[in-house]
Amino acid sequence: MRVRFSYSRRPVYLRCLSLVFLALLTGLSGCSEEPTELTHIAPDGISLLVEADLPYGTDSASVAAAVYDDGEPTPMTGGDLLRAQSDSETVFLSNDELSDNFYAAALNVPNPDAEGSILVDIIHDAQASRSDRWYPTDKALVDPGPGSAVGYSALLTLPEAPQIITPQSGLSYSQRSDEFTLEWLGAPADSLTLVSRVSCASTEGDSLGWVRSQDIDDDQSLTLSIADLIPQDGVIETTGTLSNLVTGFLQVLIDVALISVTLGLYEPDSVDLSDFTLDSCDIGISLVRKLNGELDEDVSDGSAVGSRSDSLTLEYRP
């Protein structure tokens, strides 16, 4: 099977040339921050976006969640907490600094083939919510009581991991026409996503990068060329390619700013490769096998996805 990424070739120029990764646009002076629409968010009631990913060869799953009430972001306030549970561990998800309603945590899942379920729910525990504060946790404080999202939950099931067997990580390529065959193992689930992340240095002294994702057939083989990931010219549009909830965050983990991009809080820009002569590039490739989970029957809308992933890195040195 062969799949090629499509790229626009219309003349669109970068507003910010000095980039490390496109996701960092949200934190650079002079760059735009454009909110984009989120899918699976109902205008009424509670919506939950939940994903858990366990990389192949590890026992630590990344769990992430966002909560919305009547279409608006809903942070956990007072004694409200987002809790994740496996058969081995219970953890509370922590809030990042970029979005009031984005929460994440690492959860131990030592035997995913036997205990492949993760429960994420919203509880009210005023004592536990103060456990990381500077003041004594037994100090009497006013508790506003449970918020509107308390009691809702999502159950995630982890699929079999897509173990990558070729190519070998660390291989270097010198021509855009160079091809390689990506091969992997494991039984198919609901979908398989190819996530590519590229960071390049140009001869002009600029750094640039982009992250893209695309669903592919889970038939254990895919032929790609370096040009599929790094075209010679044209505009690389990243808008909408990371819409599958938090897949980019869970696989890429480049920078905390990327969280905002993957959850759709900001719209990524475009990279016009015609403006650069690339000196070297590092390419990260991840396969993410996803299995749809179950949302509480009272949840108005949302998404619950359990995933397993495997990754490798390649080099492009023209």
Side-chain angles (χ1 to χ4, degrees), residues 43-71:
D44 299 305
I46 296 296
S47 299
L48 296 180
L49 302 179
V50 185
E51 183 172 330
D53 178 77
L54 180 65
Y56 174 74
T58 74
D59 59 7
S60 181
S62 297
V63 183
V67 183
Y68 293 80
D69 187 3
D70 292 341

PDB file of all heavy atoms in Angstrom, residues 43-71:
ATOM      1  N   PRO A  43     -23.792  22.056  22.050  1.00  0.00           N
ATOM      2  CA  PRO A  43     -24.127  23.396  22.550  1.00  0.00           C
ATOM      3  C   PRO A  43     -24.838  23.363  23.899  1.00  0.00           C
ATOM      4  O   PRO A  43     -24.872  24.361  24.607  1.00  0.00           O
ATOM      5  CB  PRO A  43     -25.045  23.953  21.459  1.00  0.00           C
ATOM      6  CG  PRO A  43     -25.632  22.737  20.807  1.00  0.00           C
ATOM      7  CD  PRO A  43     -24.573  21.689  20.857  1.00  0.00           C
ATOM      8  N   ASP A  44     -25.373  22.204  24.246  1.00  0.00           N
ATOM      9  CA  ASP A  44     -26.067  22.062  25.527  1.00  0.00           C
ATOM     10  C   ASP A  44     -25.553  20.823  26.255  1.00  0.00           C
ATOM     11  O   ASP A  44     -25.260  19.791  25.627  1.00  0.00           O
ATOM     12  CB  ASP A  44     -27.575  21.920  25.316  1.00  0.00           C
ATOM     13  CG  ASP A  44     -28.179  23.132  24.620  1.00  0.00           C
ATOM     14  OD1 ASP A  44     -27.997  24.254  25.121  1.00  0.00           O
ATOM     15  OD2 ASP A  44     -28.818  22.935  23.567  1.00  0.00           O
ATOM     16  N   GLY A  45     -25.447  20.924  27.566  1.00  0.00           N
ATOM     17  CA  GLY A  45     -25.045  19.787  28.363  1.00  0.00           C
ATOM     18  C   GLY A  45     -23.538  19.620  28.450  1.00  0.00           C
ATOM     19  O   GLY A  45     -22.760  20.477  28.009  1.00  0.00           O
ATOM     20  N   ILE A  46     -23.106  18.479  29.013  1.00  0.00           N
ATOM     21  CA  ILE A  46     -21.690  18.198  29.233  1.00  0.00           C
ATOM     22  C   ILE A  46     -21.099  17.432  28.053  1.00  0.00           C
ATOM     23  O   ILE A  46     -21.676  16.451  27.572  1.00  0.00           O
ATOM     24  CB  ILE A  46     -21.495  17.363  30.516  1.00  0.00           C
ATOM     25  CG1 ILE A  46     -21.948  18.160  31.735  1.00  0.00           C
ATOM     26  CG2 ILE A  46     -20.028  16.951  30.674  1.00  0.00           C
ATOM     27  CD1 ILE A  46     -21.144  19.411  32.011  1.00  0.00           C
ATOM     28  N   SER A  47     -19.945  17.899  27.575  1.00  0.00           N
ATOM     29  CA  SER A  47     -19.176  17.204  26.547  1.00  0.00           C
ATOM     30  C   SER A  47     -17.811  16.837  27.123  1.00  0.00           C
ATOM     31  O   SER A  47     -17.180  17.664  27.782  1.00  0.00           O
ATOM     32  CB  SER A  47     -18.997  18.071  25.298  1.00  0.00           C
ATOM     33  OG  SER A  47     -20.246  18.409  24.720  1.00  0.00           O
ATOM     34  N   LEU A  48     -17.376  15.610  26.868  1.00  0.00           N
ATOM     35  CA  LEU A  48     -16.082  15.141  27.352  1.00  0.00           C
ATOM     36  C   LEU A  48     -15.205  14.731  26.178  1.00  0.00           C
ATOM     37  O   LEU A  48     -15.650  13.996  25.286  1.00  0.00           O
ATOM     38  CB  LEU A  48     -16.252  13.928  28.276  1.00  0.00           C
ATOM     39  CG  LEU A  48     -16.996  14.108  29.591  1.00  0.00           C
ATOM     40  CD1 LEU A  48     -17.039  12.777  30.339  1.00  0.00           C
ATOM     41  CD2 LEU A  48     -16.331  15.167  30.447  1.00  0.00           C
ATOM     42  N   LEU A  49     -13.974  15.203  26.160  1.00  0.00           N
ATOM     43  CA  LEU A  49     -12.959  14.736  25.223  1.00  0.00           C
ATOM     44  C   LEU A  49     -11.891  14.031  26.050  1.00  0.00           C
ATOM     45  O   LEU A  49     -11.228  14.659  26.876  1.00  0.00           O
ATOM     46  CB  LEU A  49     -12.334  15.907  24.456  1.00  0.00           C
ATOM     47  CG  LEU A  49     -13.280  16.790  23.642  1.00  0.00           C
ATOM     48  CD1 LEU A  49     -12.491  17.900  22.963  1.00  0.00           C
ATOM     49  CD2 LEU A  49     -14.049  15.980  22.620  1.00  0.00           C
ATOM     50  N   VAL A  50     -11.747  12.731  25.843  1.00  0.00           N
ATOM     51  CA  VAL A  50     -10.836  11.941  26.666  1.00  0.00           C
ATOM     52  C   VAL A  50     -10.027  11.009  25.779  1.00  0.00           C
ATOM     53  O   VAL A  50     -10.574  10.375  24.864  1.00  0.00           O
ATOM     54  CB  VAL A  50     -11.606  11.097  27.711  1.00  0.00           C
ATOM     55  CG1 VAL A  50     -10.630  10.369  28.632  1.00  0.00           C
ATOM     56  CG2 VAL A  50     -12.554  11.967  28.516  1.00  0.00           C
ATOM     57  N   GLU A  51      -8.734  10.920  26.029  1.00  0.00           N
ATOM     58  CA  GLU A  51      -7.894   9.962  25.314  1.00  0.00           C
ATOM     59  C   GLU A  51      -6.805   9.454  26.232  1.00  0.00           C
ATOM     60  O   GLU A  51      -6.280  10.187  27.079  1.00  0.00           O
ATOM     61  CB  GLU A  51      -7.266  10.587  24.065  1.00  0.00           C
ATOM     62  CG  GLU A  51      -6.446   9.570  23.271  1.00  0.00           C
ATOM     63  CD  GLU A  51      -5.973  10.091  21.922  1.00  0.00           C
ATOM     64  OE1 GLU A  51      -6.671  10.936  21.346  1.00  0.00           O
ATOM     65  OE2 GLU A  51      -4.912   9.641  21.471  1.00  0.00           O
ATOM     66  N   ALA A  52      -6.473   8.190  26.067  1.00  0.00           N
ATOM     67  CA  ALA A  52      -5.342   7.586  26.773  1.00  0.00           C
ATOM     68  C   ALA A  52      -4.503   6.815  25.769  1.00  0.00           C
ATOM     69  O   ALA A  52      -5.040   6.074  24.940  1.00  0.00           O
ATOM     70  CB  ALA A  52      -5.824   6.656  27.879  1.00  0.00           C
ATOM     71  N   ASP A  53      -3.193   7.008  25.817  1.00  0.00           N
ATOM     72  CA  ASP A  53      -2.300   6.316  24.901  1.00  0.00           C
ATOM     73  C   ASP A  53      -1.184   5.644  25.679  1.00  0.00           C
ATOM     74  O   ASP A  53      -0.566   6.240  26.568  1.00  0.00           O
ATOM     75  CB  ASP A  53      -1.692   7.269  23.883  1.00  0.00           C
ATOM     76  CG  ASP A  53      -0.723   6.539  22.966  1.00  0.00           C
ATOM     77  OD1 ASP A  53      -1.200   5.842  22.055  1.00  0.00           O
ATOM     78  OD2 ASP A  53       0.504   6.646  23.169  1.00  0.00           O
ATOM     79  N   LEU A  54      -0.917   4.390  25.337  1.00  0.00           N
ATOM     80  CA  LEU A  54       0.178   3.637  25.947  1.00  0.00           C
ATOM     81  C   LEU A  54       1.179   3.271  24.862  1.00  0.00           C
ATOM     82  O   LEU A  54       0.892   2.433  24.001  1.00  0.00           O
ATOM     83  CB  LEU A  54      -0.344   2.377  26.628  1.00  0.00           C
ATOM     84  CG  LEU A  54       0.706   1.498  27.313  1.00  0.00           C
ATOM     85  CD1 LEU A  54       1.349   2.239  28.485  1.00  0.00           C
ATOM     86  CD2 LEU A  54       0.090   0.190  27.789  1.00  0.00           C
ATOM     87  N   PRO A  55       2.377   3.884  24.859  1.00  0.00           N
ATOM     88  CA  PRO A  55       3.389   3.538  23.858  1.00  0.00           C
ATOM     89  C   PRO A  55       3.871   2.104  24.013  1.00  0.00           C
ATOM     90  O   PRO A  55       3.931   1.570  25.127  1.00  0.00           O
ATOM     91  CB  PRO A  55       4.522   4.539  24.144  1.00  0.00           C
ATOM     92  CG  PRO A  55       3.864   5.667  24.876  1.00  0.00           C
ATOM     93  CD  PRO A  55       2.781   5.019  25.693  1.00  0.00           C
ATOM     94  N   TYR A  56       4.222   1.490  22.901  1.00  0.00           N
ATOM     95  CA  TYR A  56       4.731   0.118  22.911  1.00  0.00           C
ATOM     96  C   TYR A  56       6.019   0.048  23.732  1.00  0.00           C
ATOM     97  O   TYR A  56       6.894   0.902  23.627  1.00  0.00           O
ATOM     98  CB  TYR A  56       5.008  -0.351  21.481  1.00  0.00           C
ATOM     99  CG  TYR A  56       5.678  -1.701  21.407  1.00  0.00           C
ATOM    100  CD1 TYR A  56       4.957  -2.860  21.663  1.00  0.00           C
ATOM    101  CD2 TYR A  56       7.029  -1.805  21.090  1.00  0.00           C
ATOM    102  CE1 TYR A  56       5.567  -4.099  21.609  1.00  0.00           C
ATOM    103  CE2 TYR A  56       7.645  -3.046  21.022  1.00  0.00           C
ATOM    104  CZ  TYR A  56       6.911  -4.183  21.294  1.00  0.00           C
ATOM    105  OH  TYR A  56       7.532  -5.414  21.237  1.00  0.00           O
ATOM    106  N   GLY A  57       6.136  -0.967  24.565  1.00  0.00           N
ATOM    107  CA  GLY A  57       7.340  -1.183  25.350  1.00  0.00           C
ATOM    108  C   GLY A  57       7.390  -0.432  26.654  1.00  0.00           C
ATOM    109  O   GLY A  57       8.401  -0.474  27.359  1.00  0.00           O
ATOM    110  N   THR A  58       6.314   0.304  27.010  1.00  0.00           N
ATOM    111  CA  THR A  58       6.285   1.031  28.271  1.00  0.00           C
ATOM    112  C   THR A  58       5.062   0.591  29.076  1.00  0.00           C
ATOM    113  O   THR A  58       4.158  -0.070  28.562  1.00  0.00           O
ATOM    114  CB  THR A  58       6.221   2.552  28.061  1.00  0.00           C
ATOM    115  OG1 THR A  58       4.904   2.919  27.619  1.00  0.00           O
ATOM    116  CG2 THR A  58       7.244   2.992  27.024  1.00  0.00           C
ATOM    117  N   ASP A  59       5.037   0.979  30.348  1.00  0.00           N
ATOM    118  CA  ASP A  59       3.866   0.689  31.184  1.00  0.00           C
ATOM    119  C   ASP A  59       3.241   1.973  31.724  1.00  0.00           C
ATOM    120  O   ASP A  59       2.478   1.943  32.682  1.00  0.00           O
ATOM    121  CB  ASP A  59       4.231  -0.241  32.343  1.00  0.00           C
ATOM    122  CG  ASP A  59       5.316   0.318  33.250  1.00  0.00           C
ATOM    123  OD1 ASP A  59       5.705   1.500  33.073  1.00  0.00           O
ATOM    124  OD2 ASP A  59       5.785  -0.415  34.136  1.00  0.00           O
ATOM    125  N   SER A  60       3.575   3.116  31.104  1.00  0.00           N
ATOM    126  CA  SER A  60       3.042   4.403  31.538  1.00  0.00           C
ATOM    127  C   SER A  60       2.200   5.002  30.419  1.00  0.00           C
ATOM    128  O   SER A  60       2.718   5.374  29.362  1.00  0.00           O
ATOM    129  CB  SER A  60       4.173   5.362  31.911  1.00  0.00           C
ATOM    130  OG  SER A  60       3.672   6.609  32.357  1.00  0.00           O
ATOM    131  N   ALA A  61       0.904   5.084  30.663  1.00  0.00           N
ATOM    132  CA  ALA A  61      -0.004   5.646  29.674  1.00  0.00           C
ATOM    133  C   ALA A  61      -0.171   7.142  29.898  1.00  0.00           C
ATOM    134  O   ALA A  61      -0.224   7.614  31.039  1.00  0.00           O
ATOM    135  CB  ALA A  61      -1.367   4.958  29.754  1.00  0.00           C
ATOM    136  N   SER A  62      -0.262   7.894  28.818  1.00  0.00           N
ATOM    137  CA  SER A  62      -0.591   9.316  28.887  1.00  0.00           C
ATOM    138  C   SER A  62      -2.105   9.456  28.779  1.00  0.00           C
ATOM    139  O   SER A  62      -2.716   8.951  27.843  1.00  0.00           O
ATOM    140  CB  SER A  62       0.078  10.089  27.753  1.00  0.00           C
ATOM    141  OG  SER A  62       1.480  10.020  27.850  1.00  0.00           O
ATOM    142  N   VAL A  63      -2.692  10.118  29.755  1.00  0.00           N
ATOM    143  CA  VAL A  63      -4.135  10.319  29.774  1.00  0.00           C
ATOM    144  C   VAL A  63      -4.401  11.818  29.702  1.00  0.00           C
ATOM    145  O   VAL A  63      -3.777  12.599  30.426  1.00  0.00           O
ATOM    146  CB  VAL A  63      -4.770   9.735  31.055  1.00  0.00           C
ATOM    147  CG1 VAL A  63      -6.288   9.890  31.012  1.00  0.00           C
ATOM    148  CG2 VAL A  63      -4.379   8.274  31.230  1.00  0.00           C
ATOM    149  N   ALA A  64      -5.312  12.230  28.837  1.00  0.00           N
ATOM    150  CA  ALA A  64      -5.631  13.644  28.685  1.00  0.00           C
ATOM    151  C   ALA A  64      -7.128  13.808  28.538  1.00  0.00           C
ATOM    152  O   ALA A  64      -7.828  12.932  28.015  1.00  0.00           O
ATOM    153  CB  ALA A  64      -4.905  14.242  27.479  1.00  0.00           C
ATOM    154  N   ALA A  65      -7.641  14.940  29.020  1.00  0.00           N
ATOM    155  CA  ALA A  65      -9.086  15.172  28.965  1.00  0.00           C
ATOM    156  C   ALA A  65      -9.392  16.660  28.941  1.00  0.00           C
ATOM    157  O   ALA A  65      -8.627  17.481  29.462  1.00  0.00           O
ATOM    158  CB  ALA A  65      -9.784  14.520  30.164  1.00  0.00           C
ATOM    159  N   ALA A  66     -10.518  16.991  28.336  1.00  0.00           N
ATOM    160  CA  ALA A  66     -11.052  18.355  28.346  1.00  0.00           C
ATOM    161  C   ALA A  66     -12.550  18.260  28.558  1.00  0.00           C
ATOM    162  O   ALA A  66     -13.204  17.339  28.060  1.00  0.00           O
ATOM    163  CB  ALA A  66     -10.721  19.082  27.049  1.00  0.00           C
ATOM    164  N   VAL A  67     -13.109  19.204  29.302  1.00  0.00           N
ATOM    165  CA  VAL A  67     -14.522  19.185  29.667  1.00  0.00           C
ATOM    166  C   VAL A  67     -15.189  20.475  29.188  1.00  0.00           C
ATOM    167  O   VAL A  67     -14.608  21.569  29.306  1.00  0.00           O
ATOM    168  CB  VAL A  67     -14.698  19.047  31.195  1.00  0.00           C
ATOM    169  CG1 VAL A  67     -16.176  18.946  31.557  1.00  0.00           C
ATOM    170  CG2 VAL A  67     -13.931  17.835  31.719  1.00  0.00           C
ATOM    171  N   TYR A  68     -16.409  20.340  28.668  1.00  0.00           N
ATOM    172  CA  TYR A  68     -17.182  21.497  28.202  1.00  0.00           C
ATOM    173  C   TYR A  68     -18.597  21.399  28.758  1.00  0.00           C
ATOM    174  O   TYR A  68     -19.177  20.316  28.839  1.00  0.00           O
ATOM    175  CB  TYR A  68     -17.231  21.535  26.670  1.00  0.00           C
ATOM    176  CG  TYR A  68     -15.886  21.793  26.042  1.00  0.00           C
ATOM    177  CD1 TYR A  68     -14.965  20.765  25.900  1.00  0.00           C
ATOM    178  CD2 TYR A  68     -15.531  23.071  25.608  1.00  0.00           C
ATOM    179  CE1 TYR A  68     -13.711  20.998  25.340  1.00  0.00           C
ATOM    180  CE2 TYR A  68     -14.285  23.308  25.041  1.00  0.00           C
ATOM    181  CZ  TYR A  68     -13.390  22.271  24.917  1.00  0.00           C
ATOM    182  OH  TYR A  68     -12.151  22.497  24.372  1.00  0.00           O
ATOM    183  N   ASP A  69     -19.146  22.546  29.139  1.00  0.00           N
ATOM    184  CA  ASP A  69     -20.529  22.630  29.620  1.00  0.00           C
ATOM    185  C   ASP A  69     -21.257  23.664  28.773  1.00  0.00           C
ATOM    186  O   ASP A  69     -20.836  24.829  28.694  1.00  0.00           O
ATOM    187  CB  ASP A  69     -20.541  23.031  31.102  1.00  0.00           C
ATOM    188  CG  ASP A  69     -21.940  22.957  31.702  1.00  0.00           C
ATOM    189  OD1 ASP A  69     -22.874  22.553  30.986  1.00  0.00           O
ATOM    190  OD2 ASP A  69     -22.092  23.307  32.885  1.00  0.00           O
ATOM    191  N   ASP A  70     -22.316  23.233  28.102  1.00  0.00           N
ATOM    192  CA  ASP A  70     -23.055  24.095  27.176  1.00  0.00           C
ATOM    193  C   ASP A  70     -22.135  24.736  26.141  1.00  0.00           C
ATOM    194  O   ASP A  70     -22.269  25.903  25.776  1.00  0.00           O
ATOM    195  CB  ASP A  70     -23.802  25.191  27.943  1.00  0.00           C
ATOM    196  CG  ASP A  70     -24.941  24.630  28.795  1.00  0.00           C
ATOM    197  OD1 ASP A  70     -25.367  23.489  28.527  1.00  0.00           O
ATOM    198  OD2 ASP A  70     -25.380  25.325  29.720  1.00  0.00           O
ATOM    199  N   GLY A  71     -21.165  23.943  25.666  1.00  0.00           N
ATOM    200  CA  GLY A  71     -20.255  24.384  24.621  1.00  0.00           C
ATOM    201  C   GLY A  71     -19.093  25.224  25.083  1.00  0.00           C
ATOM    202  O   GLY A  71     -18.245  25.609  24.271  1.00  0.00           O
TER     203      GLY A  71
END
